[in-house]
Amino acid sequence: MHDEASEWAPGGASRWWLHHSLASLSADLAKKNIPLVLRRGRADRIVPALVRDVEAGAVFWNRCYEPHAIARDKALKASLQADGIEVSSFNASLLREPWTIETKSGGPFKVFTPFWRALLSQGDPPPPRAAIAAQRATIDAPPSDALALLPTKPDWAGGLRDDWEVGEKAAQDRLDEFCEHLLQGYSTTRNLPATDGTSRLSPHLHFGEISPRRIFHRARAAGVDAETFLKELGWREFSYHLLFHFPTLPVTPLYPRFEKFPWRTSQSDLRAWQRGQTGYPLVDAGMRQLWQTGWMHNRVRMVVASFLIKHLLLDWRDGERWFWDTLVDADLASNAASWQWVAGSGADAAPYVRVFNPTLQGEKFDADGAYVRRFVPELAKLPAKWIHDPSAAPDDVLQAAGVVLGKTYPTPIVAHKQARSRALAAFEATKETA
Ligand SMILES: Cc1cc2nc3c(=O)[nH]c(=O)nc-3n(C[C@H](O)[C@H](O)[C@H](O)COP(=O)(O)OP(=O)(O)OC[C@H]3O[C@@H](n4cnc5c(N)ncnc54)[C@H](O)[C@@H]3O)c2cc1C
């Protein structure tokens, strides 16, 4: 069933992933003689029709937590039950159900650390179950390209194909590789965007190719300190907790005073950000990594999001939408919670006065410039000393590297110092109208 009616229907990169994920699932199920039946359209019509076709007496599904999906599934459950069909739903994609973690007074958490402590205090989440055995087929499955999810004119997915292997086996292999070789150094390497230092499991998790419980137990069994890594899974849980309790999280600031924030509108600045043409190499490298590969390193996500919101004063929802369309791991809960976190309007958010300096972030986390060289090749020949600040480089250095500012690479679209003062003044204005 592929439901495109929601305003958060999957974006382009997610559709690409979904196509390959379904193809992989279909092939795996075929080995067990189980057909994967795909239908496009409204669940409240399609599922009852399918139930009648196969004369099913019971329907089982794994829960979704997006507000529109909760509403859809509640209505579907009621209508199937009214027809005498047994319906059961399960948790397959979270460590714990969002409503089972409560503050002492019985409400939702808005701060991460006590949330994570409360979740862990319930004991380890249950381990994943083994896969089901072979079945007797009762219906023919259409080919997995029936949903027409892939881009055709133009086919922009070459970079995604080069970077990713999709499906349950790929997810399991990556988990093993990560736990055997990368988990030990994760606390340090996770901040270095040029290094393969994080799990890159996010799209596999989003599409249900692997469960967080499997990751939790595998990481705990790896024989090294896994707590920093598990905490990141905790941020994912926290995002779902927030979305469940505050369903307008993707569109409305969690703290209402941010509704009055004096956002600018500038199509040209938004375009420059989207295309990686801001004149700040770390920001541009990140935005181009996203466009080419459908993924961006977490450290750089924070820097590019801060740049959009604070340097350009553009609405965080513009950035959230762009990520929604371009990320292979686009996830309503994690995306919305993270954007609001950077904007300062969300739960446990960074203080608004913290404005990342993209040049210093580059010098700190990409000291030799390897990440920038990879994604901004027109700067590749600049020495490390200047690669994060080309507009400050002496003329002869630029010339030797073949860089002509304003021609081969843009001059900065805003000056950091002025942008910072402007952002702080805008924030002060928001405080005054609180
Ligand atoms: C502005 C912004 C937007 C983001 N949008 C998304 C999104 O749409 N989908 C998404 O999955 N993540 C999002 N993140 C969170 C994070 O950047 C990615 O989960 C992470 O980079 C994925 O890479 P990884 O699998 O190698 O992570 P690892 O470092 O290996 O972490 C393991 C897992 O923990 C989870 N995780 C890690 N960090 C976070 C976090 N800050 N919030 C929530 N979960 C986290 C992910 O599921 C990840 O796969 C966003 C972050 C920012 C700053």
Side-chain angles (χ1 to χ4, degrees):
M1 181 185 72
H2 180 55
D3 188 349
E4 288 187 318
S6 141
E7 69 164 315
W8 293 103
S14 295
R15 292 166 66 89
W16 177 86
W17 190 287
L18 182 59
H19 170 92
H20 293 289
S21 194
L22 290 172
S24 162
L25 178 64
S26 175
D28 289 347
L29 289 174
K31 289 180 205 148
K32 295 173 186 283
N33 197 31
I34 302 171
L36 178 68
V37 177
L38 302 172
R39 294 276 193 274
R40 178 199 289 272
R42 291 183 45 166
D44 57 350
R45 294 187 190 143
I46 287 171
V47 178
L50 188 59
V51 164
R52 279 193 297 276
D53 280 358
V54 299
E55 296 175 0
V59 178
F60 303 86
W61 66 66
N62 290 328
R63 284 180 209 120
C64 296
Y65 300 89
E66 295 81 5
H68 60 271
I70 292 177
R72 176 197 68 199
D73 293 349
K74 266 191 181 162
L76 185 59
K77 190 173 203 168
S79 99
L80 289 171
Q81 283 173 336
D83 288 343
I85 309 291
E86 181 195 333
V87 182
S88 306
S89 61
F90 301 88
N91 166 17
S93 63
L94 293 174
L95 297 174
R96 296 278 176 200
E97 295 292 14
W99 53 86
T100 63
I101 317 291
E102 289 178 339
T103 60
K104 287 206 174 86
S105 53
F109 282 97
K110 280 189 172 178
V111 180
F112 172 73
T113 303
F115 166 83
W116 186 229
R117 220 181 287 131
L119 188 147
L120 291 177
S121 74
Q122 295 191 2
D124 284 359
R129 302 220 175 132
I132 52 168
Q135 301 288 309
R136 189 170 54 85
T138 50
I139 188 170
D140 287 337
S144 63
D145 59 358
L147 299 177
L149 296 168
L150 290 181
T152 46
K153 289 176 191 162
D155 171 12
W156 44 256
L160 276 62
R161 281 194 292 273
D162 290 347
D163 242 52
W164 295 101
E165 269 188 61
V166 182
E168 195 176 339
K169 181 174 183 310
Q172 184 61 53
D173 289 350
R174 177 63 188 172
L175 175 63
D176 289 340
E177 184 189 11
F178 176 75
C179 287
E180 279 159 32
H181 304 294
L182 303 173
L183 180 56
Q184 186 155 27
Y186 178 79
S187 305
T188 321
T189 54
R190 75 193 183 112
N191 272 313
L192 308 175
T195 308
D196 182 23
T198 66
S199 73
R200 291 171 61 94
L201 286 168
S202 50
H204 299 292
L205 266 165
H206 173 76
F207 285 95
E209 294 170 1
I210 196 158
S211 93
R213 280 178 262 154
R214 186 171 297 279
I215 300 174
F216 185 98
H217 286 281
R218 177 70 178 85
R220 272 276 168 85
V224 295
D225 181 6
E227 298 315 303
T228 308
F229 173 67
L230 293 179
K231 214 179 201 182
E232 296 306 319
L233 283 184
W235 277 99
R236 179 175 179 273
E237 295 283 312
F238 186 48
S239 303
Y240 275 84
H241 179 79
L242 292 171
L243 182 63
F244 180 77
H245 289 289
F246 307 99
T248 62
L249 190 74
V251 286
T252 311
L254 196 61
Y255 289 99
R257 68 193 163 92
F258 279 87
E259 273 170 35
K260 297 189 178 137
F261 195 88
W263 300 113
R264 290 171 63 238
T265 38
S266 164
Q267 277 308 316
S268 59
D269 283 359
L270 183 60
R271 293 287 286 168
W273 179 80
Q274 289 170 336
R275 292 172 170 207
Q277 296 286 349
T278 67
Y280 284 90
L282 185 65
V283 174
D284 294 340
M287 296 308 293
R288 295 189 205 180
Q289 178 180 32
L290 173 61
W291 183 249
Q292 284 169 34
T293 72
W295 185 86
M296 193 196 303
H297 189 277
N298 180 59
R299 163 68 41 190
V300 191
R301 289 188 205 203
M302 291 194 287
V303 173
V304 303
S306 169
F307 188 85
L308 182 86
I309 294 165
K310 296 179 185 177
H311 283 72
L312 300 181
L313 281 192
L314 297 179
D315 196 323
W316 59 270
R317 284 158 286 211
D318 292 339
E320 183 195 26
R321 276 278 170 200
W322 183 252
F323 272 30
W324 182 255
D325 198 35
T326 50
L327 277 172
V328 286
D329 64 23
D331 183 278
L332 199 63
S334 297
N335 201 31
S338 298
W339 274 98
Q340 291 227 32
W341 183 85
V342 178
S345 61
D348 212 352
Y352 193 88
V353 288
R354 173 145 35 109
V355 179
F356 276 129
N357 178 330
T359 309
L360 295 183
Q361 287 285 308
E363 288 168 0
K364 189 166 175 195
F365 296 110
D366 183 38
D368 62 1
Y371 180 70
V372 166
R373 279 178 232 286
R374 180 169 163 213
F375 290 104
V376 190
E378 65 269 35
L379 298 179
K381 292 199 179 118
L382 272 181
K385 181 168 184 213
W386 303 109
I387 194 148
H388 290 289
D389 199 5
S391 59
D395 288 345
D396 58 330
V397 172
L398 291 173
Q399 208 177 1
V403 178
V404 184
L405 289 175
K407 269 198 166 163
T408 62
Y409 184 71
T411 49
I413 59 170
V414 278
H416 171 70
K417 229 170 137 188
Q418 277 94 317
R420 185 171 188 281
S421 314
R422 184 174 67 174
L424 296 183
F427 175 65
E428 283 302 316
T430 311
K431 264 196 343 201
E432 280 155 23
T433 57

